[in-house]
Amino acid sequence: MSGGYKQQPGSEGNTTRKDGKRIAGKQSFPPPGSGGSRPIMAERDLQYIPEMAGGREKQPAGSHVHDSVRTGTAVGKSMKYVDSNAKVTGQAWYGDDVRLPNECIAKILRSPHHYAKIISIDTSKVEALPGVLAVATGKDSPNSFGVLPVTKDEHAMAVEKVRHVGDLVACVAAVDEATALHALSLFEVEYEELEPIFDPKKGLEDVDEPIHWRGKYHLAMTNVQKRVFQEFGDRSLIEKPSASNHNKWTMKGVHHGFTEPHAVVAHWDPNGRLQLYTPTQVPHYTHRALSTVLEVPMHQINVVRTFVGGGFGGKSDPFPHEMCAALLSRKCGRPVRITFDREEVYMINRGRHPSHIEVKMSADDQARITGFDIDALIDGGAFASFGHVTSYYNGVLATAPYELGSFHYTGARVWTNKPASGAMRGHGAVNTRCAVEVGLDQMAEDLSVDPIDLRLANLLPPHSKTISGFRITSNGMREALEKVRERSDWDNKFRQLPLGKGIGIGCGFFISGSGLPIHWDPNKFPHATVHIQVDMDGGVTVHSGAAEIGQGSTTAVAQVVAEVLALPIEMIHVRSHESDTSPVDLGSYSSRVTFMNANAAIRAAIGIRDKLLNAAWEMIGYHPDLLVLNDRRIYYKHDPSIGVSYLKALHKAQEDKGALISSGAYRSPPMGGVHKGAAAGLAPAYSFSAYVAETDVDIETGKIKCTNVWAAHDCGKALNPLAVKGQIIGSCHMGLGQVISEEMVYGRTGHLQNANLLEYKIPSVHEMPHVEPIIVESCDPEGPFGAKEAGEGPLLPILPAVVNSVYDAIGIRINDLPLTPDTVFFAIEKKMKALSIGDALELECPRLTHSAMQQVVVDRAAQHKVRDIARQRSDDTSPYVNGVLFGFDPNIPLEDQVEGWRAATEPLPEQLAELGFAGRAWLKKEQRQMGGEN
Amino acid sequence: MLMPPFTLHHPTSVEQACEIALQLMEDGQQFDWVAGGTDLIPNYKWHINTKPHVISLAKIEGANVISATEIGCMARLSDLTEANGAHPLIAEAASKVATSLIRRNATLGGNLCLDTRCFWFNQGEDWRRSIDWCLKADCGTGADCRVIPNQNTLCVATYQGDLAPNLMVLEAVVHIVGPSGEKQVPIGNFYQLDGKKKNILEAGEFLLKVTLPEESQQRTGCYQKLRVRDSWDFPEAGIAASWIAGDEKSLLIASTALESIPKMHDEQVSEVLEEGWTGAESVKSLSEAIQKSINPVNNTTLSTRYRKKMVRVLTKRAIEGFLR
């Protein structure tokens, strides 16, 4: 009994002669690329092959376009990251690990002033210092750059003026660090100080010298960088609400706190090409920016992405220090290395915007949500970064997962003289989502219904459109809510726990990749391209631009290729480090990488697969439709003994051609409305999450301890469940920090006071709750094997879940984050005073007695569940738009059937009377409207 | 982040340490003592009041002794956490300092002589230059204090050591060594205002060890530490209390992280005892009295008003910790 199907060609039969000598031409060990230590083909792993493709994996959403290429090899299986050995043995090379021969060290001179004009910079003493190799100032870099083409407001070093303490003024490269540091003290800079602003509300006012100038679009003489207005729906629905609430939130700025500080090595090679080594999330955008700043064509620059010790949006911009290193290296002809101290990491910032968020919401007598009115003023700091997009996300990402009668959003981002805010994990959606979810908790309380039931009765179904025109496809929100309700024993705990103990629910909704690219040049360029190359050894090289930042993109790409080709993952080699050999991928931000790169990788792998199947057809006579790929072998599906090894088929395919090449690209389908800003928030798919958190509050000290979290996240399909669970737990930690202790503290002089990891309070392991991650799989029709994002979405729900659990514990609503012990304590003290209670232990925590409305929402939720299952399975493919719940016909444009239906991106004059903070930006006129600049 | 260069000395005996100190003083050279380095090194990396010489106590024979009655300056906090003969209250307090990794380097002497802290002071050099320095690190400019403005004579940096109040309620005695000889001082008298002076050590002197009276072994105690996270953080307020079981007249209470020096609260205790001990009511009066006796300033993480209010809760919990 041979025991299975052999892999290696040519090893049939004996390799030794009777006299013990080796038969000429026969190897006694397997040829390269063959079975290696596993010479027998493994059984097909039917648990990981969909039912519709002949396996046993259940498909509650019906068939998926990728079913036919599932082989049960890698998808859906928990595995360690392919680069984890390098990391745990300390051999991974991060930005600061790059050591080129003859390198020198550079340091940056930073502004001591919040806001000042640079009158002069005298570098003579610096240049005279022995050991100094090159010096550069703003004069060496007049071209501006920025991550978004619409807001290129940064320079390598300040030109004309500095805009925050820590802003780059000059840089110097020297033979060693000590010389470079000493050289910094020899710069003589003359400044003329200007009046700085720190309060974002001041950013709405006219000043003598705005921090940046937008030319004819500049709003009067303010520091408003961007203003947004969006209004959709039937505003009459919010009149005479059955319940409504109005809350104003203040969220402090937070920082990503990644372990690896920024670093860069720049080197102009002997052919005059720039090699830039940097731990970046966005090699392509950095590539473009370098070309602009250095005035060198992109094809003369190679961006090398090192290992990245954490990004989270803090490394997703092209940075001035990268430009400085390149400039200095060009001047002195040696590789230049810059490594940041932790303080400099805070100076470059790009953390979450400090925000003032105002939310009004209303519900009608059917407990339908008739309106969300949101006003978000966000503090952008000194530069735009991703802020143009953040200004939209603070509003538009609240248009789901609930069906709304109307939606109104005013947003504004202002410049202040502080380190710039950027796109931190969850980008713009986190703060508003927290305010909205807590508002829903309050709404449920006012209606005397369970907050989970209220949500279940108001969800948009799968395959629908939001009020703002976003296309929702797969939607696992309902399943996520039901699962956490059950796992947490919600029904026996909510509003029933003793004083000081509470349970709360929070939900999240996030994009899985921004639908439109931020650069339109060249037009119709794919969002991700992957090339696969297979040479005679059988190993598969995958060239991908996907930036591995610790989120596991390299592993995800390897997994999908291994799946399509039915090869062990050790045979897949992903090369994604340098722009010279990696096809362009737009970058690791907006949670796009798995969706877009894995899709491109699957397409490329299918190209190779087709070539292999055609070769096998020639060899064994059966058409590819009748062939199965499984564990390095291709065989006739009705008789596995009729087949060839992968290697044999490969060599056949390579006859006359040599190494095989295949290219796959992904571009999201056209979608969305045509109103101004319609693109912001569009995505080919969205993730949905629901978390329940249990929290203890020490009623005497105000200290919060989150004890348990049940975290359900709809990621479409978990390509690697271990990775998804890791992202859920990690997101809980990062989001929890924003709730209980993290804050960038700006003191009375405007300085950032806690630019270090002792005073910036990231939760320790003692603060972490026990997290039970629950994976929900709604199987997205366009996602790679059904997958959607799991990198940012999982962060959103933890904030409202914990905040709502605190209310359940102590009966006090606090609209400020973080909920540090003193904040909570003073809120408790205030309530005690109002109720004339002397001992905190006498406070009452909230209780719930269901009203008649409870049955209304339970019944509607049950109906909607039937509706949603049918839509998920594509049994019901009728159109569904936001508004059907209110009786509108999805087949007729809403503005044609509803009188007074609004779809506006500018306020009406009568709306200018009552505006929130951000709305006040609409009181100002643009320069061109004032007869100013044209 | 590079420390400025300095010469590190490694005496192996108390005598040798004093010799080196004397020699440096005669040469007009400034120096710092270093034990575990967990306080000194971060400040040196930020170029805060660095000196050209540093004398390490790490190699001094016998400096790491731990017993019920004697603890050397080089006794590591991780060893104290495991008691190894030391009083359980000391083990409890040591276990609450920083993190397990830091405790392996940190020492008793270093924690007792912890430099006072303030967020205008504990910052990098560029940051402090940007605010034009401050009284405690003026770089020769005579800069004003940034907490109590418009004056440069009183420094209000906060003392944030955890062990001091616990040793105070165990009636420890501090042994000081220097070029002019040895002296012993009850730990209650070791600390001295202001935030710059910190303690009674004069130039060239260092804390060699603490000794504890035999009676301290009869005491039971509790240490309540207020901090944001249950690891890493310095105390925002700390109350240590001890008594000899059943005898409320033996009650001793001390506080830390509320002023520039840790304080004993004998006065407040005796006032309450005079009125007659009534259990819970007396605990309440005592906590309120202690709360009134301290005046924190705004130079730590949490709000001053909050830290002051928490003194009452911490005192109540410290005493309730052993009163049953």
Side-chain angles (χ1 to χ4, degrees):
Chain A
M1 177 74 170
S2 72
Y5 304 102
K6 290 206 183 134
Q7 300 295 350
Q8 56 273 42
S11 66
E12 308 87 24
N14 220 343
T15 56
T16 49
R17 305 190 308 207
K18 288 201 188 94
D19 61 2
K21 293 195 176 139
R22 187 172 56 80
I23 296 172
K26 290 280 189 193
Q27 306 284 9
S28 58
F29 52 86
S34 65
S37 59
R38 289 162 35 211
I40 305 297
M41 181 191 81
E43 286 292 326
R44 255 183 119 212
D45 202 342
L46 294 174
Q47 296 288 16
Y48 293 93
I49 295 176
E51 283 177 323
M52 311 228 174
R56 293 202 278 265
E57 189 184 87
K58 298 262 173 257
Q59 296 184 273
S63 66
H64 187 275
V65 66
H66 289 150
D67 284 347
S68 60
V69 295
R70 287 285 296 280
T71 58
T73 308
V75 163
K77 300 189 176 183
S78 287
M79 55 182 72
K80 64 176 187 181
Y81 286 165
V82 297
D83 56 7
S84 52
N85 284 4
K87 291 178 177 174
V88 303
T89 58
Q91 294 181 60
W93 45 289
Y94 296 90
D96 190 53
D97 291 323
V98 175
R99 292 285 185 271
L100 297 179
N102 210 25
E103 72 160 15
C104 59
I105 309 296
K107 288 287 173 190
I108 294 166
L109 179 71
R110 294 177 180 278
S111 165
H113 301 296
H114 298 292
Y115 192 29
K117 287 198 180 124
I118 299 175
I119 307 298
S120 68
I121 306 180
D122 183 350
T123 60
S124 52
K125 293 202 179 78
V126 181
E127 291 164 40
L129 180 70
V132 165
L133 301 167
V135 179
T137 66
K139 288 202 176 66
D140 294 298
S141 57
N143 296 345
S144 68
F145 70 93
V147 65
L148 297 179
V150 296
T151 48
K152 289 187 180 171
D153 65 353
E154 292 185 68
H155 292 85
M157 289 155 283
V159 173
E160 287 176 17
K161 56 186 182 181
V162 289
R163 296 175 168 87
H164 67 95
V165 167
D167 201 1
L168 293 84
V169 175
C171 56
V172 53
V175 291
D176 57 31
E177 190 180 357
T179 309
L181 281 172
H182 181 49
L184 287 181
S185 66
L186 300 175
F187 281 94
E188 283 171 4
V189 186
E190 205 189 322
Y191 295 100
E192 179 195 315
E193 286 183 64
L194 301 166
E195 186 66 36
I197 66 160
F198 307 115
D199 182 348
K201 297 201 269 315
K202 286 242 168 349
L204 299 164
E205 296 167 15
D206 287 334
V207 292
D208 289 335
E209 175 119 15
I211 296 169
H212 291 275
W213 187 247
R214 291 179 59 200
K216 62 183 176 183
Y217 298 111
H218 200 97
L219 289 174
M221 292 294 284
T222 65
N223 274 300
V224 175
Q225 182 231 316
K226 173 73 185 165
R227 67 180 178 188
V228 177
F229 181 91
Q230 284 195 357
E231 192 168 63
F232 301 108
D234 183 358
R235 296 298 279 162
S236 72
L237 291 170
I238 65 175
E239 293 159 15
K240 301 199 189 54
S242 291
S244 68
N245 60 59
H246 181 184
N247 285 288
K248 294 185 183 179
W249 287 78
T250 305
M251 281 102 169
K252 298 282 161 62
V254 291
H255 188 268
H256 338 70
F258 38 77
T259 314
E260 182 207 17
H262 303 75
V264 61
V265 175
H267 169 53
W268 297 79
D269 73 13
N271 288 331
R273 294 184 78 230
L274 171 65
Q275 309 282 334
L276 192 95
Y277 300 80
T278 180
T280 177
Q281 297 174 233
V282 287
H284 182 61
Y285 298 146
T286 306
H287 198 168
R288 287 180 180 250
L290 285 164
S291 175
T292 305
V293 170
L294 302 170
E295 292 179 334
V296 161
M298 281 176 73
H299 53 74
Q300 296 305 310
I301 298 171
N302 183 29
V303 177
V304 182
R305 174 193 47 80
T306 66
F307 276 74
V308 179
F312 311 108
K315 295 183 176 139
S316 59
D317 289 36
F319 285 121
H321 61 269
E322 292 165 336
M323 313 298 158
C324 286
L327 287 165
L328 289 170
S329 182
R330 185 160 63 180
K331 284 194 177 203
C332 72
R334 289 168 64 164
V336 170
R337 177 159 60 88
I338 296 178
T339 304
F340 274 11
D341 292 331
R342 179 59 53 173
E343 296 76 33
E344 294 178 285
V345 174
Y346 284 97
M347 289 298 107
I348 198 75
N349 192 18
R350 317 294 148 128
R352 202 179 304 297
H353 291 67
S355 319
H356 290 288
I357 313 247
E358 189 177 342
V359 178
K360 293 183 219 173
M361 58 176 71
S362 50
D364 66 10
D365 59 6
Q366 295 300 302
R368 296 179 296 196
I369 303 168
T370 45
F372 276 171
D373 279 39
I374 299 168
D375 181 279
L377 174 66
I378 60 178
D379 182 345
F383 297 103
S385 180
F386 267 103
H388 187 97
V389 177
T390 324
S391 318
Y392 282 103
Y393 284 2
N394 263 292
V396 302
L397 292 180
T399 56
Y402 312 112
E403 192 158 352
L404 308 172
S406 67
F407 173 76
H408 172 107
Y409 170 59
T410 45
R413 183 187 197 262
V414 294
W415 287 297
T416 57
N417 294 105
K418 306 210 283 281
S421 311
M424 177 171 163
R425 198 181 195 181
H427 196 190
V430 174
N431 290 351
T432 302
R433 176 58 49 187
C434 181
V436 161
E437 293 292 314
V438 174
L440 280 175
D441 197 66
Q442 196 175 337
M443 187 96 91
E445 193 177 30
D446 292 341
L447 294 169
S448 294
V449 302
D450 182 281
I452 293 186
D453 290 315
L454 177 65
R455 287 169 170 81
L456 289 170
N458 283 294
L459 295 177
L460 283 164
H463 305 290
S464 57
K465 280 227 171 85
T466 70
I467 202 170
S468 50
F470 298 156
R471 180 199 74 160
I472 290 180
T473 52
S474 63
N475 181 346
M477 188 81 253
R478 190 172 303 278
E479 191 184 334
L481 279 163
E482 288 174 351
K483 283 204 160 124
V484 292
R485 174 187 223 153
E486 190 215 315
R487 294 292 309 154
S488 66
D489 198 22
W490 172 269
D491 293 326
N492 290 325
K493 291 178 185 170
F494 181 66
R495 298 286 189 255
Q496 294 157 76
L497 295 173
L499 179 71
K501 286 192 178 304
I503 194 167
I505 179 88
C507 292
F509 164 76
F510 202 69
I511 54 175
S512 187
S514 170
L516 279 90
I518 62 182
H519 289 268
W520 290 89
D521 159 39
N523 207 357
K524 300 206 176 137
F525 200 74
H527 296 192
T529 309
V530 171
H531 292 166
I532 294 184
Q533 172 184 306
V534 191
D535 216 328
M536 52 83 65
D537 60 286
V540 177
T541 303
V542 182
H543 293 283
S544 161
E548 167 65 68
I549 58 169
Q551 88 285 50
S553 61
T554 301
T555 305
V557 166
Q559 269 183 285
V560 300
V561 173
E563 177 76 17
V564 173
L565 300 179
L567 296 173
I569 203 147
E570 295 78 21
M571 287 179 72
I572 317 294
H573 319 295
V574 178
R575 287 287 177 272
S576 62
H577 277 105
E578 46 169 15
S579 54
D580 275 357
T581 54
S582 313
V584 166
D585 172 70
L586 297 183
S588 292
Y589 65 97
S590 84
S591 290
R592 53 177 297 284
V593 177
T594 296
F595 199 95
M596 301 190 179
N597 275 277
N599 261 329
I602 291 170
R603 287 176 191 173
I606 287 173
I608 301 285
R609 176 185 187 271
D610 288 347
K611 292 178 181 166
L612 293 171
L613 289 176
N614 284 332
W617 183 12
E618 277 186 64
M619 293 165 81
I620 61 176
Y622 286 99
H623 187 273
D625 290 349
L626 297 167
L627 297 177
V628 167
L629 282 102
N630 178 51
D631 189 24
R632 303 158 293 158
R633 200 159 178 277
I634 303 171
Y635 56 84
Y636 173 48
K637 72 195 251 190
H638 297 304
D639 187 353
S641 68
I642 303 174
V644 286
S645 71
Y646 155 76
L647 204 62
K648 267 191 158 165
L650 176 67
H651 289 166
K652 177 80 187 153
Q654 288 172 339
E655 282 176 3
D656 297 328
K657 293 196 198 66
L660 299 182
I661 277 282
S662 175
S663 175
Y666 174 85
R667 214 169 134 244
S668 26
M671 59 178 81
V674 290
H675 57 271
K676 181 176 158 97
L682 280 180
Y686 297 89
S687 70
F688 299 84
S689 0
Y691 291 6
V692 167
E694 248 184 74
T695 301
D696 292 344
V697 180
D698 183 335
I699 200 91
E700 288 185 305
T701 65
K703 196 160 173 183
I704 293 174
K705 172 83 175 88
C706 183
T707 53
N708 283 288
V709 177
W710 294 268
H713 178 77
D714 166 25
C715 62
K717 170 128 193 94
L719 300 177
N720 183 345
L722 183 66
V724 175
K725 289 179 178 175
Q727 287 293 325
I728 291 173
I729 296 171
S731 300
C732 280
H733 174 257
M734 194 172 268
L736 182 70
Q738 187 173 355
V739 179
I740 65 172
S741 57
E742 288 183 41
E743 177 188 342
M744 288 181 70
V745 179
Y746 289 94
R748 66 159 200 270
T749 58
H751 288 83
L752 176 62
Q753 277 175 314
N754 60 344
N756 61 78
L757 290 174
L758 173 63
E759 292 302 327
Y760 181 81
K761 310 278 185 194
I762 297 174
S764 74
V765 68
H766 300 280
E767 280 71 52
M768 263 303 267
H770 175 259
V771 179
E772 181 182 318
I774 299 164
I775 295 176
V776 170
E777 292 182 323
S778 63
C779 205
D780 191 83
E782 290 174 32
F785 299 114
K788 301 186 287 192
E789 74 92 30
E792 292 181 85
L795 189 149
L796 278 69
I798 190 70
L799 283 85
V802 174
V803 173
N804 283 333
S805 69
V806 168
Y807 177 75
D808 193 52
I810 61 174
I812 300 171
R813 294 209 187 272
I814 307 166
N815 294 343
D816 284 322
L817 291 183
L819 295 176
T820 49
D822 46 355
T823 305
V824 178
F825 173 77
F826 289 130
I828 292 172
E829 208 185 38
K830 190 171 167 195
K831 181 156 191 190
M832 282 165 62
K833 237 184 177 163
L835 298 174
S836 303
I837 294 177
D839 187 350
L841 296 161
E842 290 169 34
L843 278 170
E844 280 180 8
C845 51
R847 293 287 176 245
L848 169 65
T849 308
H850 290 150
S851 67
M853 201 72 88
Q854 171 71 12
Q855 197 56 48
V856 171
V857 295
V858 166
D859 290 343
R860 187 161 78 234
Q863 285 170 21
H864 285 183
K865 180 167 180 171
V866 173
R867 169 196 75 179
D868 290 359
I869 290 173
R871 295 186 70 83
Q872 186 190 38
R873 295 198 62 86
S874 298
D875 294 338
D876 172 8
T877 54
S878 61
Y880 194 104
V881 301
N882 182 107
V884 170
L885 179 65
F886 294 90
F888 305 139
D889 183 341
N891 294 301
I892 303 171
L894 289 158
E895 53 269 22
D896 292 344
Q897 61 179 299
V898 185
E899 201 180 310
W901 182 271
R902 290 273 289 153
T905 54
E906 278 196 29
L908 297 165
E910 53 265 31
Q911 286 178 305
L912 293 178
E914 256 187 59
L915 289 165
F917 289 137
R920 277 172 229 171
W922 286 92
L923 294 171
K924 301 286 183 178
K925 288 190 163 54
E926 291 178 354
Q927 283 288 325
R928 58 182 174 164
Q929 293 165 330
M930 288 166 42
E933 307 208 6
N934 279 314
Chain B
M1 194 174 322
L2 223 50
M3 293 189 279
F6 58 85
T7 306
L8 182 64
H9 306 265
H10 278 293
T12 52
S13 69
V14 173
E15 294 73 34
Q16 197 187 0
C18 292
E19 265 172 48
I20 296 171
L22 195 56
Q23 187 62 56
L24 288 172
M25 280 157 63
E26 280 170 7
D27 293 344
Q29 294 284 311
Q30 290 199 305
F31 64 92
D32 272 329
W33 299 102
V34 72
T38 53
D39 189 34
L40 182 118
I41 304 279
N43 283 355
Y44 266 48
K45 286 197 167 186
W46 271 346
H47 292 219
I48 297 177
N49 292 340
T50 60
K51 315 287 191 306
H53 292 268
V54 175
I55 308 176
S56 165
L57 302 171
K59 295 199 164 127
I60 293 185
E61 189 94 26
N64 58 355
V65 61
I66 298 178
S67 75
T69 50
E70 185 183 352
I71 308 176
C73 62
M74 283 303 302
R76 305 284 177 182
L77 296 188
S78 53
D79 293 330
L80 285 174
T81 301
E82 279 152 46
N84 288 313
H87 194 286
L89 180 61
I90 297 177
E92 179 191 354
S95 75
K96 292 184 174 177
V97 178
T99 72
S100 55
L101 288 174
I102 292 173
R103 291 195 288 272
R104 296 194 79 73
N105 275 348
T107 63
L108 173 95
N111 195 261
L112 290 178
C113 298
L114 195 72
D115 197 2
T116 52
R117 303 180 63 83
C118 167
F119 56 63
W120 296 100
F121 168 77
N122 292 97
Q123 300 279 1
E125 192 173 29
D126 286 343
W127 196 101
R128 289 180 291 115
R129 181 183 296 116
S130 169
I131 58 144
D132 287 325
W133 316 109
C134 81
L135 168 58
K136 191 162 148 79
D138 67 2
C139 300
T141 61
D144 284 344
C145 170
R146 301 295 165 208
V147 183
I148 314 278
N150 303 320
Q151 55 86 22
N152 61 359
T153 46
L154 175 68
C155 171
V156 290
T158 304
Y159 176 80
Q160 290 183 286
D162 287 298
L163 295 184
N166 292 280
L167 289 169
M168 284 173 165
V169 304
L170 293 174
E171 302 179 295
V173 170
V174 169
H175 295 244
I176 296 169
V177 177
S180 49
E182 295 188 11
K183 53 182 185 250
Q184 297 173 22
V185 165
I187 192 170
N189 299 338
F190 175 68
Y191 293 96
Q192 185 182 350
L193 291 170
D194 61 356
K196 270 182 91 162
K197 183 67 177 75
K198 299 176 287 189
N199 52 51
I200 59 172
L201 293 174
E202 296 297 339
E205 292 181 333
F206 68 95
L207 186 155
L208 176 63
K209 64 183 177 187
V210 299
T211 51
L212 298 119
E214 289 288 337
E215 303 82 65
S216 69
Q217 294 179 63
Q218 297 165 38
R219 290 183 165 271
T220 50
C222 181
Y223 176 52
Q224 290 286 320
K225 175 174 180 173
L226 178 74
R227 52 180 169 173
V228 178
R229 301 173 292 185
D230 287 342
S231 185
W232 288 309
D233 293 341
F234 286 95
E236 293 287 316
I239 300 285
S242 79
W243 76 337
I244 297 174
D247 178 12
E248 50 288 336
K249 288 195 192 45
S250 69
L251 190 60
L252 290 175
I253 302 186
S255 66
T256 185
L258 293 157
E259 298 191 344
S260 298
I261 55 172
K263 276 164 78 160
M264 299 216 60
H265 294 282
D266 298 342
E267 201 186 302
Q268 288 77 35
V269 171
S270 53
E271 267 170 26
V272 169
L273 285 176
E274 264 171 40
E275 294 159 20
W277 186 260
T278 53
E281 271 305 308
S282 299
V283 173
K284 189 163 179 281
S285 309
L286 186 51
S287 1
E288 281 163 13
I290 292 178
Q291 180 176 326
K292 284 200 181 72
S293 73
I294 44 89
N295 267 311
V297 294
N298 182 23
N299 59 6
T300 64
T301 305
L302 294 172
S303 91
T304 321
R305 222 176 103 220
Y306 176 71
R307 288 157 65 208
K308 199 169 158 77
K309 294 219 172 219
M310 285 303 104
V311 169
R312 203 174 43 74
V313 177
L314 295 171
T315 308
K316 183 172 72 101
R317 291 183 179 182
I319 301 176
E320 281 171 358
F322 57 73
L323 208 52
R324 293 174 232 302

